[in-house]
């Protein structure tokens, strides 16, 4: 059974997801008239709160929605995911992560605009957004099986077992093992229960508390990581242009990959970008659909900044540290341990501790927001009265994630992500003309005001 899950995950994340996410995203990018490039300045003004209105329907502000969505996406994908990409695909994989991010901006723009355009109501009459409501409200009841498919995959796939496992690994290898404080299995249990208590304190307060904590944590988390990386880049400043050049040339030669297979580099880059920024998976529309906004286009613009911040900014910073320190060529480590060795080489003595704090905040913020996503899917399937039961199930799986070995479970979660992407991308492409019409109307109104 385990091999079946791993094989399914590897198969679906190869050509099928590449065609669906990269191909579908590229179609949307061109169809939008390259809007992510043309309207980036307007999106930045929006996120600064220039057009916020607290009286709009919804539960949180657009800025909080972006913070919560980034809290879910800026995480271990940016630290261990980038290391895995370089390890498997060489520096060129980063270039294809950038390309995936640009088409992902268009995907996020369309899918999160639709999340406001086609909001539904749960069994308590509370306004909700997300691909399941977009499918039901925008495409009609006959498409409801797609909405159910998305929600079932979301309940099973949006557990934070991977985050719990990686956070346990980092705390043990940085803090406990060097000080002879690691006691094997019992340590894993203690760390797992500790994480569960911290996460429970936040998620049992609902989306408002999750968004409040995320909007405080995310700027701190990105800021700390940014400052640490800039200190490292200053040390190696003369080599930065050479490394950026290496990323671009290696993307088209594949020299760092066995046999120089450019196709393999593209697949690795696209796959890691999808895990990193989640464009097309359908998670961000759930939180953006809860924002106080009745302008779908505005919400879509704010949402499209997510892949840019996540992949173009944060992933590039991680990649440069790994490439500049040379650890990717001189060590057997991969994942989070490769990034740890890069930070330790560049900032001996305290680099690994700074990275550990970043990993701690990254992992916890992801855990907070994932619980909300799973809760929404459970709410859709079983009704608002039963939805809170999901939180208790979610909290127990955090302890399981810290304790168990994860290859099969991670492959299972990967497979569920892929299944979520199918209804999300079908509904986004099907309803894209509605967003295009709304975009034209919105910018005509903005031009008439000015």
């Amino acid at each position: 059974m385990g091999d079946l899950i791993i094989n399914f995950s590897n198969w679906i994340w190869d050509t099928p997801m590449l065609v669906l996410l990269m191909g579908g995203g590229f179609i949307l990018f061109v169809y939008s008239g390259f809007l992510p490039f043309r309207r980036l300045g307007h999106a930045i003004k929006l996120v600064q709160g220039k057009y916020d209105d607290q009286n709009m329907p919804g539960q949180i502000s657009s800025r909080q929605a972006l913070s919560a969505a980034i809290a879910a996406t800026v995480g271990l994908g940016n630290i261990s995911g980038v290391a895995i990409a370089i390890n498997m695909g060489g520096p060129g994989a980063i270039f294809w992560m950038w390309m995936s991010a640009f088409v992902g901006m268009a995907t996020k723009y369309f899918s999160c605009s639709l999340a406001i355009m086609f909001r539904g109501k749960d069994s308590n009459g509370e306004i909700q957004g997300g691909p399941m409501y977009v499918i039901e409200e925008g495409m009609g009841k006959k498409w409801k099986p797609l909405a159910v498919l998305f929600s079932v995959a979301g309940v099973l796939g949006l557990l934070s077992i991977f985050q719990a496992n990686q956070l346990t690994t980092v705390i043990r290898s940085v803090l406990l093992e060097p000080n002879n404080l690691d006691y094997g299995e019992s340590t894993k249990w203690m760390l797992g229960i500790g994480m569960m208590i911290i996460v429970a304190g936040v998620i049992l307060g609902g989306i408002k508390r999750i968004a409040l904590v995320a909007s405080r944590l995310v700027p701190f988390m990105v800021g700390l990581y940014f400052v640490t990386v800039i200190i490292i880049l200053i040390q190696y400043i003369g080599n930065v242009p050479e490394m950026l050049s290496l990323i671009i040339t290696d993307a088209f030669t594949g020299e760092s990959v066995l046999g120089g297979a450019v196709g393999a580099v593209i697949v690795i880059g696209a796959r890691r970008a999808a895990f990193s920024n989640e464009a097309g998976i359908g998670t961000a529309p759930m939180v953006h659909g809860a924002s106080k906004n009745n302008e779908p286009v505005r919400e879509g613009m704010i949402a499209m900044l997510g892949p840019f911040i996540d992949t173009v900014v944060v992933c590039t910073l991680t990649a440069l540290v790994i490439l500049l320190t040379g650890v990717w060529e001189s060590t057997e480590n991969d994942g989070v341990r490769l990034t740890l060795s890069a930070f330790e080489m560049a900032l001996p003595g305290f680099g690994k501790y700074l990275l550990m704090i970043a990993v701690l905040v990254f992992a916890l913020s992801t855990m907070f927001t994932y619980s909300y996503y799973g809760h929404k899917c459970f709410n859709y399937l079983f009704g608002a009265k039963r939805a809170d039961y999901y939180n208790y199930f979610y909290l127990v799986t955090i302890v399981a994630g810290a304790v168990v070995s994860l290859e099969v479970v991670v492959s299972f979660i990967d497979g569920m992500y892929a299944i979520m992407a199918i209804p999300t991308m079908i509904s986004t492409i099907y309803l894209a003309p509605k967003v295009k019409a709304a975009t034209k109307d919105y910018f005509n109104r903005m031009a008439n005001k000015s």
Side-chain angles (χ1 to χ4, degrees):
M1 185 68 184
D3 287 344
L4 191 70
I5 292 168
I6 292 165
N7 290 339
F8 170 74
S9 176
N10 288 337
W11 168 76
I12 201 164
W13 273 107
D14 199 340
T15 310
M17 280 297 109
L18 191 68
V19 170
L20 186 67
L21 293 174
M22 285 281 278
F26 183 71
I27 290 165
L28 292 169
F29 187 65
V30 174
Y31 184 65
S32 74
F34 308 103
L35 181 134
F37 289 158
R38 291 188 301 109
R39 301 293 186 181
L40 193 61
H42 186 72
I44 291 165
K45 278 184 194 161
L46 289 169
V47 89
Q48 288 167 343
K50 195 173 173 186
Y51 303 97
D52 278 6
D53 182 349
Q54 293 305 316
N55 299 317
M56 292 295 172
Q59 294 147 287
I60 52 176
S61 73
S62 296
R63 189 202 229 143
Q64 286 178 321
L66 180 66
S67 292
I70 292 174
T73 57
V74 174
L76 293 168
N78 303 77
I79 292 178
S80 53
V82 172
I84 292 165
I86 292 172
N87 219 8
M88 291 173 66
I94 303 304
F95 176 85
W96 295 109
M97 286 183 78
W98 294 341
M99 294 304 102
S100 297
F102 289 127
V103 301
M105 286 174 78
T107 305
K108 278 257 172 103
Y109 172 70
F110 279 92
S111 61
C112 293
S113 295
L114 289 167
I116 295 288
M117 203 177 280
F118 296 109
R119 289 201 263 209
K121 287 188 177 172
D122 64 19
S123 56
N124 273 355
E126 186 85 53
I127 285 179
Q128 300 284 3
M132 55 286 219
Y133 296 100
V134 169
I135 291 163
E136 198 175 320
E137 303 291 324
M139 296 170 72
K141 298 281 187 202
K142 67 177 182 292
W143 293 89
K144 188 163 180 175
L146 264 188
V148 171
L149 176 69
F150 174 86
S151 300
V152 169
V155 165
L156 297 172
L158 290 164
L159 299 170
S160 55
I161 299 175
F162 174 68
Q163 284 74 20
N165 182 269
Q166 289 286 281
L167 185 52
T168 303
T169 302
V170 170
I171 291 172
R172 288 177 73 201
S173 59
V174 173
L175 274 187
L176 304 180
E177 286 168 7
N179 297 307
N180 295 319
L181 294 171
D182 188 74
Y183 302 104
E185 290 301 309
S186 59
T187 301
K188 290 183 187 176
W189 278 97
M190 286 162 66
L191 288 170
I193 291 165
M195 283 185 271
M196 181 182 77
I197 292 166
I198 293 167
V199 174
V202 175
I203 71 170
L204 298 179
I207 181 57
K208 289 184 181 173
R209 190 182 300 168
I210 293 169
L212 182 69
V213 173
S215 63
R216 302 266 166 84
L217 268 183
V218 169
F220 164 77
M221 156 175 99
V222 176
L224 171 76
Y225 195 64
F226 194 79
V227 169
T228 308
V229 172
I230 294 299
I231 293 167
I232 296 172
L233 294 191
I234 289 166
Q235 290 184 52
Y236 295 90
I237 197 73
N239 299 335
V240 170
E242 183 192 337
M243 289 304 142
L244 291 171
S245 169
L246 176 65
I247 288 170
I248 294 164
T249 53
D250 194 60
F252 297 98
T253 60
E255 282 172 11
S256 301
V257 186
L258 207 62
V262 176
V265 183
I266 297 171
V267 169
I268 291 160
R271 181 172 177 173
R272 297 273 56 98
F275 280 109
S276 178
N277 63 47
E278 293 172 21
I281 306 295
T283 50
M286 287 193 266
V287 72
H288 281 284
S291 76
K292 291 182 178 178
N293 199 343
N294 64 353
E295 284 280 11
V297 169
R298 251 174 220 171
E299 199 60 40
M301 292 225 165
I302 289 166
M304 82 180 184
L305 292 172
F308 185 83
I309 294 166
D310 175 272
T311 306
V312 178
V313 178
V314 184
C315 287
T316 303
L317 292 175
T318 305
L320 284 172
V321 171
I322 292 169
L323 296 174
L324 288 165
T325 53
V327 294
W328 66 288
E329 292 179 298
S330 60
T331 174
E332 292 300 305
N333 289 336
D334 75 346
V336 76
R337 290 180 191 272
L338 179 63
T339 318
L340 268 174
S341 58
F343 271 70
E344 182 60 9
M345 177 175 273
L347 301 170
F350 67 95
K352 63 182 180 182
Y353 296 108
L354 283 173
L355 186 67
M356 187 194 71
I357 294 166
V359 169
L360 180 71
V361 181
F362 279 157
L364 287 174
S365 64
T366 303
M367 288 177 185
F368 300 151
T369 315
Y370 270 24
S371 72
Y372 172 66
Y373 293 155
H375 186 274
K376 288 263 270 209
C377 293
F378 200 89
N379 182 343
Y380 181 81
L381 291 171
F382 302 109
K385 286 192 172 69
R386 296 190 189 90
D388 285 345
Y389 293 128
Y390 173 81
N391 283 339
Y392 302 108
F393 165 65
Y394 181 86
L395 288 166
V396 169
T397 64
I398 290 173
V399 182
V403 175
V404 298
S405 170
L406 269 189
E407 190 186 6
V408 173
V409 180
V410 168
S411 291
F412 174 74
I413 287 172
D414 291 354
M416 290 299 116
Y417 256 52
I419 292 167
M420 287 164 68
I422 295 165
T424 302
M425 290 302 290
I426 288 171
S427 61
T428 302
I429 292 167
Y430 182 91
L431 294 166
K434 306 261 188 201
V435 179
K436 180 133 185 185
T439 307
K440 192 176 174 186
D441 172 63
Y442 173 79
F443 283 108
N444 283 342
R445 283 187 284 120
M446 292 299 289
N448 290 336
K449 274 184 190 174
S450 60

